[in-house]
């Protein structure tokens, strides 16, 4: 995994949390960006669940985690 700005360790934590919640279900990849804070995009079944660059911000609260988990569950159940 590439470091994403200074947030590499935080992105790894989010990835680990998603893999724990959805073991063996998600294909999670990351890519570094040239900006200092990077972009964080979370998609499931072709649906954008969370976009830091489009205004959802960084995943820094339990409410954001719950929204992501619910979005992924919804996307997976509708495929």
């Amino acid at each position: 995994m590439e470091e994403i700005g200074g947030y590499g360790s935080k992105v790894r934590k989010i990835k680990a949390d998603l893999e724990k919640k959805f073991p063996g279900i998600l294909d999670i990849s990351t890519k570094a960006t040239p900006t200092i804070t990077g972009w964080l995009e979370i998609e499931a079944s072709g649906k954008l669940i969370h976009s830091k660059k489009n205004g959802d911000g960084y995943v820094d609260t339990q409410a954001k985690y719950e929204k992501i988990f619910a979005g992924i569950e919804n996307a997976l159940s509708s495929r």
Side-chain angles (χ1 to χ4, degrees), residues 10-69:
K10 292 178 181 180
V11 169
R12 283 190 295 276
K13 181 185 180 328
I14 293 167
K15 182 178 177 181
D17 291 343
L18 291 173
E19 289 171 341
K20 182 178 178 183
K21 179 81 173 175
F22 303 97
I25 297 174
L26 302 177
D27 178 19
I28 301 171
S29 62
T30 63
K31 182 178 180 188
T33 61
T35 61
I36 189 73
T37 61
W39 294 342
L40 175 64
E41 306 283 284
I42 300 173
E43 295 182 4
S45 296
K47 295 181 181 179
L48 184 61
I49 306 298
H50 180 92
S51 174
K52 180 177 176 271
K53 70 179 178 179
N54 289 336
D56 291 327
Y58 198 78
V59 182
D60 55 359
T61 66
Q62 188 61 36
K64 288 180 182 180
Y65 268 103
E66 295 302 322
K67 180 182 173 196
I68 291 167
F69 293 158

